[in-house]
Amino acid sequence: MKKLGICLIITGILFFVFGIAIGTPRAQEAVKETGAAPASPSQPAQPLRLNVFEGGEQTAGQPFDSEKLLPPGSPQWIGAPLMPGGRKMSEGSGRFVQEYDKPYNEVLAWYRQALKNYPDARYRDWSHEMYIEDEGASRWLAITLSKEGGPKTQVTIVKDNWTWIFATLFLRFFGVFVVLLVLWLGLNIATFIVRRLVKDEKEPAPASA
Amino acid sequence: MELNEILDLLHGTLQTTGFMFVGWKVIVMWLIGLFFLYMAIVKDFEPNLLLPIGFGIFLVNFPNTPLFGFSEGHPQLLQFFYKYGIIWETIPCLIFLGLGAMTDFGPLIANPMMLLIGAGAQLGVFVTFTGTILLGFSVKEAASVGIIGGADGPTTIYLTALLAPHLLSANTLAAYSYMSMVPLIQPPIMRIMCSKKEKLIRMKPSARPVSKTEKILYPLICGGIIALLVPAVMPLMGMFMFGNLMRESGVVKRLTATVGGPMMDVVTVLLGVAVGASMQAEVFLSYKPIMVFALGLADFVVCTAGGILTVKVMNLFRKEKINPIIGISGVSAIPMSPRVAQIWGQKYDRKNYLLMHAMGACLGGSIGSPAAAGMLLAMFK
């Protein structure tokens, strides 16, 4: 039992050190992404509820197309709402850029209102832009609102594309390998330590005998 | 009393029965339910799961039955099981707790390299994701369908309940159906992908003995690493590792026996009947659930192939070669898949004992599959 106790302490220390090393940048990133303070460890994490309307029960979870939620005749690009009154900067098959003579906060407030009934819009608050990602069945991938234009705000709508899908899939498949490789490494280290301890405990025995 | 009044009375009475609402969709669902019951009772095909699922389908598709709806805002009996067991992700986590209490990670600890086979076997999850999107499913639906190939029922339920609850019954059924069809699906893939020389690779019968200390440390190390790397999947993995710690510590034998025995049985019954009940005609009889079955099969095939390919890649760098037959066990269908690997290994060489190695790969898959689910969940977080 002594060796078990030592092993438990070593494991605890390893996790503590590893946790600090990994946890700090993650917490900082969380602040950057959400603009909120990181949750304290005692605070319960927000449950992941992806198909819930505000104040309602979980829905059947059918994917939405934002186009169906827009009022008829309202300005849009491939189903993504377009705030009226801007100047078109560029338009291609996969990207649409429009500029507004309004500060970022006003444009964001308009988009929040326009997408308030769209449950599959995910807001990612980055330092230089707000990235509104579609997780539903819309044809657009993201609407980005620039933050660094002062009185002007640029809105970029990007069409759903396969590059993103393939890239994210490759990364995630690779990620599974990384997780299991780290686990493999952890197991090897633990095995090494345990076997050394067992050996160390066994070695003196024949000497004393 | 006039004739019209009598007819009205009869009509009113009939309206309270189910007769007036029986349609072709309901009859199709009864037949599906009866088919599952037949498979369970007559063919002995995964009866622990198919029997409750089949009866759930049969029961809930009778019109006017107060089973799966809400009465004055309160969930009815099967809706209660479904809501609090599946939508709230309680049952999959409890199943993982029980699985942890029943699993011996010894073969994996003895040969941690097998973890990589479990990772490689997740290939189908990501390939199917792409195919599913091509067929017009949303990203969330694609993620939930993709995980079927991991052959991990509770993980499939967990992910689907979070991302695409309307596909829950189809995904669950596909996952468990393909798990029970491992002896039919995997051998042809293995025969096509492995050369005769590879099939004859003999592996040492047993790896090194694993000490109790290592077994006790394993759930702590594995749980800790997964919690740091893929926190989204910790409700499942945390319970898995907790169950395993209870088992390996040896100090809570009564609890371990309960968690791995009676509790698992209760949870399996509730899971089966709730999943079956979610298969209502209006929800189930559409093109998507049927597509899910087709995609799930393709997924399972690619996952099996991914496991075999991983072994082949590993063999390029190893002196002591691994028999690629054990690659089929990279999916987490315990114990069916390792058993198939053992049987087929011995068909080619009677003195080749692959069971424990295949078990290691399968245990790797049981970690790899939730890890893949965590990766997919992280996309939406």
Side-chain angles (χ1 to χ4, degrees):
Chain A
M1 279 292 108
K2 190 182 161 194
K3 66 184 181 218
L4 176 63
I6 295 168
C7 289
L8 281 171
I9 292 167
I10 293 171
T11 312
I13 293 168
L14 280 174
F15 277 134
F16 185 70
V17 174
F18 198 39
I20 288 174
I22 288 187
T24 310
R26 258 188 54 200
Q28 285 167 352
E29 204 172 296
V31 176
K32 234 189 261 174
E33 283 210 359
T34 61
S40 70
S42 58
Q43 223 174 336
Q46 279 283 71
L48 185 63
R49 293 242 163 254
L50 298 158
N51 287 307
V52 181
F53 282 107
E54 263 177 52
E57 277 293 311
Q58 189 149 6
T59 69
Q62 294 288 356
F64 282 85
D65 181 348
S66 64
E67 192 170 2
K68 289 174 186 159
L69 298 169
L70 297 176
S74 63
Q76 55 155 299
W77 192 72
I78 57 165
L82 260 184
M83 186 178 171
R87 278 186 309 280
K88 185 158 74 174
M89 306 297 285
S90 68
E91 183 179 359
S93 59
R95 181 180 286 263
F96 182 93
V97 185
Q98 184 133 305
E99 195 173 66
Y100 296 90
D101 292 327
K102 287 179 177 166
Y104 160 76
N105 283 339
E106 267 185 50
V107 179
L108 175 65
W110 188 89
Y111 269 96
R112 279 198 190 276
Q113 181 65 23
L115 293 169
K116 72 172 182 189
N117 292 323
Y118 184 52
D120 292 323
R122 168 89 182 146
Y123 292 80
R124 296 175 193 268
D125 195 357
W126 293 338
S127 59
H128 61 293
E129 64 187 20
M130 171 65 85
Y131 187 82
I132 308 168
E133 190 176 341
D134 169 53
E135 290 175 354
S138 300
R139 282 176 291 154
W140 50 277
L141 167 71
I143 304 170
T144 50
L145 317 179
S146 68
K147 283 183 178 176
E148 292 162 338
K152 288 185 178 180
T153 304
Q154 214 170 62
V155 174
T156 308
I157 302 167
V158 181
K159 198 179 168 186
D160 234 335
N161 63 80
W162 282 98
T163 316
W164 176 82
I165 290 173
F166 281 122
T168 192
L169 286 181
F170 174 77
L171 276 175
R172 281 162 211 288
F173 182 51
F174 184 67
V176 176
F177 270 96
V178 171
V179 170
L180 296 192
L181 269 171
V182 173
L183 186 55
W184 172 68
L185 199 71
L187 282 180
N188 278 329
I189 294 169
T191 304
F192 175 76
I193 294 169
V194 171
R195 293 180 98 182
R196 275 294 292 271
L197 283 171
V198 172
K199 208 174 157 190
D200 290 349
E201 276 191 4
K202 275 182 184 168
E203 265 175 4
S208 60
Chain B
M1 196 180 250
E2 286 180 19
L3 183 64
N4 276 353
E5 284 176 332
I6 295 169
L7 285 175
D8 280 349
L9 190 71
L10 278 173
H11 183 75
T13 311
L14 272 174
Q15 287 287 335
T16 61
T17 69
F19 286 110
M20 299 294 279
F21 306 95
V22 174
W24 69 270
K25 284 186 173 179
V26 169
I27 296 168
V28 170
M29 291 313 293
W30 291 344
L31 292 175
I32 293 174
L34 291 173
F35 172 72
F36 282 116
L37 290 175
Y38 168 80
M39 293 300 280
I41 298 165
V42 182
K43 296 285 177 188
D44 201 25
F45 213 63
E46 290 273 334
N48 289 341
L49 209 67
L50 288 195
L51 193 124
I53 287 180
F55 198 70
I57 300 170
F58 185 68
L59 211 57
V60 87
N61 280 292
F62 280 90
N64 278 357
T65 48
L67 287 170
F68 204 68
F70 290 87
S71 301
E72 293 168 6
H74 298 291
Q76 291 163 351
L77 183 69
L78 299 184
Q79 177 65 244
F80 184 87
F81 297 159
Y82 181 75
K83 184 177 176 182
Y84 297 112
I86 294 176
I87 296 294
W88 284 31
E89 303 117 30
T90 316
I91 288 178
C93 298
L94 289 177
I95 289 184
F96 258 66
L97 178 67
L99 286 176
M102 293 194 292
T103 306
D104 175 14
F105 278 100
L108 183 66
I109 301 169
N111 191 4
M113 190 56 99
M114 294 296 156
L115 277 167
L116 295 184
I117 302 174
Q122 306 310 315
L123 178 69
V125 172
F126 298 93
V127 170
T128 309
F129 185 105
T130 317
T132 313
I133 288 177
L134 266 175
L135 287 169
F137 285 65
S138 75
V139 182
K140 284 180 193 168
E141 287 175 328
S144 75
V145 174
I147 204 70
I148 293 172
D152 189 339
T155 305
T156 304
I157 295 168
Y158 182 78
L159 195 70
T160 310
L162 281 171
L163 300 181
H166 57 290
L167 290 181
L168 194 62
S169 48
N171 283 4
T172 309
L173 217 54
Y176 280 105
S177 302
Y178 295 133
M179 274 163 71
S180 60
M181 284 195 265
V182 159
L184 300 176
I185 300 171
Q186 290 198 318
I189 304 160
M190 178 271 296
R191 276 187 289 177
I192 291 167
M193 291 190 66
C194 303
S195 68
K196 197 179 175 188
K197 194 182 161 192
E198 284 174 327
K199 288 172 196 162
L200 291 171
I201 293 174
R202 197 174 276 189
M203 296 180 74
K204 283 181 187 168
S206 60
R208 67 176 180 83
V210 177
S211 67
K212 193 184 174 192
T213 313
E214 285 175 278
K215 285 187 176 179
I216 292 174
L217 283 176
Y218 174 79
L220 300 173
I221 293 168
C222 181
I225 288 174
I226 302 255
L228 287 170
L229 293 175
V230 207
V233 84
M234 272 320 275
L236 284 180
M237 288 307 291
M239 288 294 106
F240 197 23
M241 293 303 138
F242 175 45
N244 192 248
L245 183 64
M246 287 205 295
R247 172 199 162 95
E248 298 303 347
S249 67
V251 292
V252 284
K253 284 185 178 143
R254 195 160 50 86
L255 297 187
T256 310
T258 305
V259 163
M263 191 205 76
M264 272 293 268
D265 293 343
V266 170
V267 168
T268 305
V269 169
L270 296 180
L271 170 76
V273 83
V275 165
S278 69
M279 291 173 68
Q280 289 175 299
E282 299 80 38
V283 181
F284 194 74
L285 293 178
S286 67
Y287 81 98
K288 275 192 176 171
I290 295 159
M291 297 289 278
V292 164
F293 273 84
L295 287 161
L297 179 62
D299 194 356
F300 199 70
V301 168
V302 181
C303 281
T304 303
I308 296 171
L309 279 175
T310 309
V311 174
K312 288 182 177 228
V313 172
M314 284 164 76
N315 278 345
L316 295 176
F317 305 97
R318 282 174 67 94
K319 222 178 195 178
E320 204 173 306
K321 305 290 182 200
I322 302 171
N323 192 318
I325 293 177
I326 70 164
I328 65 170
S329 303
V331 297
S332 55
I334 300 176
M336 199 85 86
S337 194
R339 209 182 291 158
V340 170
Q342 165 72 6
I343 291 167
W344 279 88
Q346 291 207 324
K347 275 193 181 176
Y348 297 107
D349 178 359
R350 289 184 66 81
K351 288 187 177 172
N352 205 359
Y353 297 95
L354 298 175
L355 186 64
M356 291 317 276
H357 302 286
M359 196 57 111
C362 204
L363 292 168
S366 72
I367 310 285
S369 178
M375 290 289 162
L376 293 173
L377 273 178
M379 278 169 78
F380 305 103
K381 224 179 168 187

